[in-house]
Amino acid sequence: MRAIGQMPPEMLSGDGVSIRLSGYLEPCAPTHVPTLRYAIETAGQTVGELRIRLGESEDLKRYFGQIGYEVYPAFRRRGHAGTACRLALEVMRDLGYGEAWITCNPENLASRRVCGRVSAELVETVDIPVDHVMYEHGIRQKCRYRVVL
Ligand SMILES: CC(C)(COP(=O)(O)OP(=O)(O)OC[C@H]1O[C@@H](n2cnc3c(N)ncnc32)[C@H](O)[C@@H]1OP(=O)(O)O)[C@@H](O)C(=O)NCCC(=O)NCCS
């Protein structure tokens, strides 16, 4: 396994979808972690974005999740998020991670289906602590999904 700190792949493709590295975000708040930002592309068009949050802290694995994704409304329900998420897992494997945690709100059925698409295991649903920044944003629970890489 390669060490975390390896240069991330600039582009990965599969099933008509590519993820292209578009930026590296430095932490700008105490709860933030270094983040790789990827554009989700299909047929040369950007249809969404994906973030890989680097690190393995409990806060990340329990609440924020290591992979976040968004497909723009006009391009949804075509399988793009599922494919992009699978490519993000390849990036994480390439960077040396042995597992990946994805979290989503229980009512976010689309995101939960994306987790199903990548065969992530629903480990548990946790309550957000009242002193957590997510609680301030009205989030009360997170489903925690795990993928062994
Ligand atoms: C979640 C999101 C990325 C899914 O994108 P997408 O490209 O439409 O997802 P896919 O086409 O890969 O669909 C994956 C599955 O979700 C299902 N799905 C998509 N939208 C759905 C919805 N609104 N309700 C229920 N299921 C939905 C699809 O039918 C598919 O199911 P299947 O595997 O049984 O075929 C998109 O809805 C989105 O950007 N939402 C806003 C941001 C967000 O919630 N991000 C996740 C934060 S954890």
Side-chain angles (χ1 to χ4, degrees):
M1 190 199 305
R2 287 197 266 160
I4 294 170
Q6 190 84 18
M7 284 295 289
E10 300 244 330
M11 192 166 101
L12 280 180
S13 305
D15 294 332
V17 173
S18 300
I19 58 169
R20 182 188 299 278
L21 189 63
S22 62
Y24 174 79
L25 307 176
E26 294 282 0
C28 59
T31 53
H32 288 187
V33 296
T35 300
L36 299 174
R37 190 173 171 186
Y38 282 87
I40 304 172
E41 299 177 348
T42 181
Q45 191 171 26
T46 300
V47 298
E49 53 187 80
L50 186 145
R51 290 175 188 218
I52 300 176
R53 304 182 190 99
L54 300 172
E56 296 183 285
S57 71
E58 271 311 294
D59 201 32
L60 200 53
K61 295 196 293 187
R62 197 168 174 79
Y63 301 117
F64 289 106
Q66 292 164 306
I67 299 175
Y69 36 76
E70 178 186 4
V71 169
Y72 305 144
F75 302 99
R76 288 180 186 167
R77 299 198 93 136
R78 300 181 201 179
H80 297 334
T83 305
C85 187
R86 182 171 58 70
L87 296 171
L89 292 168
E90 282 184 37
V91 173
M92 288 192 68
R93 191 182 303 121
D94 207 32
L95 291 174
Y97 289 87
E99 62 178 15
W101 287 90
I102 305 170
T103 64
C104 52
N105 296 353
E107 67 278 9
N108 191 341
L109 298 182
S111 185
R112 296 185 67 170
R113 286 300 311 150
V114 172
C115 290
R117 275 280 172 95
V118 298
S119 303
E121 174 200 4
L122 175 61
V123 174
E124 60 182 343
T125 301
V126 291
D127 293 330
I128 304 297
V130 290
D131 59 351
H132 196 276
V133 65
M134 282 184 170
Y135 196 93
E136 287 169 29
H137 289 95
I139 300 168
R140 296 293 177 262
Q141 286 191 312
K142 283 283 176 186
C143 295
R144 304 182 67 221
Y145 289 85
R146 177 174 180 255
V147 183
V148 176
L149 300 173

